[in-house]
Each structure stands twice: as C-alpha cells, then as structure tokens.
C-alpha cells in the first residue's frame, strides 16, 4: 500500500521500489513507474498501484484418481506481474487517493485465476493415474503438468502475469486410506526390523560362539603347553636326578677308593705294627728268658741260707707299705698270752 500524506488540498504519494504506480489526471498518464514520489490533487487524480515483486500463492485442492480415491494436493506457485500496464488495464489495481488502499481485490482475482488453472491441469493428470502411482510418482507428474499448463495458458500473458516456479508440496489421500496404505508398509518395516533384530542376535550368538571356541582353543593350547611344561620339568628333574646320581656314584666310588686305600694303609700299618710288636715281644721275651736264665744261673751256685735271705728281701719289697700300726688291748692280750705259753713250753 502506498504511503500518502495530506497537506491542505494536496496529497503526496511515496511509492515502494516493488510497486508500479500509474497516475492519470483528466485521462492523461502523468506518472508511470516503480518507486515514484509526487504531489497530486485527490479530486482530479486516478491512481493504480501494481506490485511487481515475486509473490507466493499457496493452494490446496482435492482431486480424484482413476481408482476413485480422493487426494489432497498441496502446491505453491510463484508469480509476478511482468507488464504492469496490462495488469492495471485488465484488473482493478486502483487505490484510494486519500488512503492509498486498493479499492478492489486484485490479488485475490489473480490467486483465483492461478488456482483454478493449476487445479484444472492437476485434476486432468490425476484422473488418469491410480492412487498408488500418484503417491509414488505423482508429485513430479503433477508439478510438470501444472507448470506446463500455466506456461501454455493464454490468459496469464494477456493479464500481464508471468509464472516463475511451481512446487507441489504433497499428495495426501484420505486419512483412512492413508492408514490402510501405511499398514503394509509398517508391517514390512516391522518385519525388516524383526529380521534385522534376529540377524543381530544371530550375529551376536555366532560371535559369542566364536569367542567361546577361541577361549576353549586357548585353554586347550594352554593345557597342552602346561603338559609340555610338566614333561619338560620331569625330563629336567630326571636329568638332574641322573646327574646327581652320577655325581653321588662318582663321590661314592672316590670315597670307597679312598676308604680302601685308607684301609689298606691302616692294615699295612697294623701288620707292620703287629710285626714290630711281635718282634719286640720276642725280643723282650728272649731278654727276659735270658735274664731269668742268668738269674737262675746266678742263684744256682748260692747256698740255701742266702736264698732264704734273698727271698725275704724280695717278699719285703713286694709287701704293701705300712705307715702306722694300731695295737688294740685285745690283740695285746692275745700276744702276751701266746708269749707266756711259748715261754712255759720252752722251760
């Protein structure tokens, strides 16, 4: 909407760069172009404002497919006014000189024209398409058909309208039909999910089995190596025992040899000692025999009294030593009695 300022009997219009303003006075075109700014008198001015920017027109309409199913089509058409003079001549873009507001509804007229044209071409293509095909590939087909139909529509260039782009947002069936169509897909998705779950479980079980087999193989290998270790330890123990036994045998042999040598030496020394002792004993016996013989030879020539004396001497030498003699009264009495008896006998 144009910005209009009032000053006494004059009006000042300031247009936007995206609005094409046409000013007629007394049937003559005075101002024509976008973004204009000028003074005018409201009683003699005829103004029209045509937007020349790109505009989006959202549309929703229902169509029926070849299998008699209702489909809701959501589309958006981008358009612009390419010829403002023709558009202003064909549609009512006039504005109030005092307020700047449109007196009619030109954009609604343009929207109705574009919507009806697009709907006509969409209905034509969907009427020959089944619901399944429309839901699968219908968006592209409807978009191409609407774009081609709008480009070929003669009313749009005659009105100064240019279609920039066409977009079909969605094709939706009725809610009940959509739920019915979703059910097989959901079941298939659920089956695929279940299958994926089972496959994951199978893979997990297979991996667990592989892990268990690896652990069992590791345990078997460990047991085999432990068996080899035990065998090696037994072999080492036997070898060590054999080496100890051999060492003990060598030591025993050496000890036996040393013992035999010592025994032989001891026997030799004993024999020699026995021989020496026998020789000594024989020598001593011979000497004693010689001395005894000499003693006997000596005493053979001595008289009997001398022998008695020598015998007493030898007896005295062999008697034990008497340090003191204690004579009790009984002994003394007995000795005295014997002495008296002896004396009387002598008398």
């Amino acid at each position: 909407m144009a910005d209009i300022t009032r000053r006494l009997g004059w009006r000042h219009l300031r247009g936007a760069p995206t609005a094409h303003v046409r000013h007629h006075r007394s049937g003559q075109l005075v101002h024509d172009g976008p973004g204009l700014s000028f003074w005018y008198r409201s009683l003699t001015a005829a103004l029209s404002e045509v937007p020349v920017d790109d505009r989006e027109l959202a549309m929703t309409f229902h169509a029926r497919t070849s299998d008699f199913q209702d489909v809701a089509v959501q589309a958006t058409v981008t358009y612009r006014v390419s010829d403002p003079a023709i558009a202003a001549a064909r549609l009512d873009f006039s504005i109030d000189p005092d307020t700047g507001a449109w007196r009619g509804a030109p954009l609604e007229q343009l929207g109705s024209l574009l919507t009806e044209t697009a709907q006509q071409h969409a209905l034509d293509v969907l009427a020959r398409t089944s619901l399944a095909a429309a839901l699968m590939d219908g968006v592209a087909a409807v978009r191409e058909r609407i774009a081609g139909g709008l480009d070929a529509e003669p009313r749009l260039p005659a009105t100064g309208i240019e279609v920039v782009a066409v977009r079909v947002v969605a094709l939706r069936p009725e809610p009940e039909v959509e739920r019915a169509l979703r059910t097989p897909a959901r079941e298939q998705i659920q089956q695929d999910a279940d299958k994926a779950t089972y496959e994951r479980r199978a893979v997990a079980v297979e991996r667990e089995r592989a892990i268990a087999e690896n652990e069992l193989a590791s345990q078997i290998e460990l047991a085999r190596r432990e068996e080899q270790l035990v065998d090696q330890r037994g072999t080492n123990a036997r070898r060590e025992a054999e080496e100890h036994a051999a060492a003990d045998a060598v030591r025993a042999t050496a000890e036996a040899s040393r013992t035999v040598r010592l025994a032989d030496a001891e026997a030799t020394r004993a024999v020699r000692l026995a021989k020496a002792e026998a020789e000594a004993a024989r020598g001593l016996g011979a000497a004693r025999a010689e001395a005894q013989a000499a003693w006997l030879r000596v005493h053979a020539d001595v008289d009997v009294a001398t022998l008695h004396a020598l015998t007493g001497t030898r007896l005295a030498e062999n008697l034990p030593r008497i340090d003191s003699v204690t004579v009790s009264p009984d002994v003394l009495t007995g000795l005295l009695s014997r002495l008296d008896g002896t004396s009387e006998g002598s008398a």
Side-chain angles (χ1 to χ4, degrees), residues 32-116:
D32 185 17
L36 297 180
S37 179
F38 54 87
W39 291 91
Y40 66 92
R41 296 183 65 87
S42 61
L43 296 178
T44 60
L47 302 175
S48 62
E49 183 182 21
V50 181
V52 294
D53 58 337
D54 291 350
R55 291 183 172 265
E56 301 284 343
L57 175 62
M59 58 184 69
T60 301
F61 52 87
H62 291 272
R64 180 168 290 183
T65 61
S66 61
D67 48 0
F68 304 101
Q69 298 295 326
D70 290 336
V71 177
V73 181
Q74 296 178 359
T76 300
V77 176
T78 303
Y79 70 94
R80 65 169 172 262
V81 178
S82 60
D83 193 340
I86 296 177
R90 299 293 300 272
L91 299 175
D92 185 11
F93 283 97
S94 62
I95 60 176
D96 189 294
D98 293 326
T99 61
W102 277 317
R103 292 180 175 179
L107 296 181
E108 293 181 2
Q109 294 178 359
L110 281 177
S112 299
L113 175 62
L114 293 172
T115 300
E116 291 175 357

Side-chain angles (χ1 to χ4, degrees), residues 50-249:
V50 181
V52 294
D53 58 337
D54 291 350
R55 291 183 172 265
E56 301 284 343
L57 175 62
M59 58 184 69
T60 301
F61 52 87
H62 291 272
R64 180 168 290 183
T65 61
S66 61
D67 48 0
F68 304 101
Q69 298 295 326
D70 290 336
V71 177
V73 181
Q74 296 178 359
T76 300
V77 176
T78 303
Y79 70 94
R80 65 169 172 262
V81 178
S82 60
D83 193 340
I86 296 177
R90 299 293 300 272
L91 299 175
D92 185 11
F93 283 97
S94 62
I95 60 176
D96 189 294
D98 293 326
T99 61
W102 277 317
R103 292 180 175 179
L107 296 181
E108 293 181 2
Q109 294 178 359
L110 281 177
S112 299
L113 175 62
L114 293 172
T115 300
E116 291 175 357
T117 304
Q119 184 176 1
Q120 179 181 354
H121 293 288
L123 292 176
D124 186 40
V125 69
L126 288 175
R128 295 190 297 270
T129 306
S130 64
L131 178 62
L135 295 179
M136 184 176 298
D137 300 323
V139 173
V142 171
R143 180 179 64 250
E144 292 176 359
R145 183 61 180 271
I146 291 176
L150 291 177
D151 291 338
E153 179 64 33
R155 292 181 58 189
L156 297 180
T159 314
I161 305 300
E162 179 184 359
V163 176
V164 178
V166 176
R167 297 187 302 277
V168 177
V169 180
L171 292 176
R172 295 185 179 278
E174 293 181 350
E176 295 80 4
V177 176
E178 187 174 5
R179 283 194 296 270
L181 293 175
R182 286 178 180 178
T183 301
R186 288 183 177 179
E187 291 179 354
Q188 183 64 35
I189 293 172
Q190 186 63 39
Q191 291 177 2
D192 295 340
D194 295 339
K195 182 178 179 181
T197 301
Y198 296 149
E199 290 178 354
R200 285 197 300 271
R201 290 180 180 175
V203 171
V205 171
E206 183 66 22
R207 290 180 179 176
E208 290 178 357
R209 185 185 63 79
I211 292 172
E213 289 181 353
N214 292 333
E215 291 179 353
L216 182 60
S218 300
Q219 292 177 1
I220 293 174
E221 181 65 20
L222 181 60
R224 186 180 64 81
R225 292 188 178 182
E226 288 180 353
E227 182 179 0
Q228 293 178 354
L229 180 61
V230 170
D231 293 340
Q232 186 64 35
R233 285 179 177 175
T235 302
N236 295 338
R238 287 194 299 272
R239 192 174 298 171
E240 185 177 0
E242 290 174 357
E243 292 179 356
H244 285 315
D248 293 340

Side-chain angles (χ1 to χ4, degrees), residues 244-264:
H244 285 315
D248 293 340
V250 171
R251 285 196 296 271
T253 303
E255 186 67 24
S257 299
R258 187 174 63 84
T259 304
V260 170
R261 289 196 300 271
L262 291 177
D264 292 341

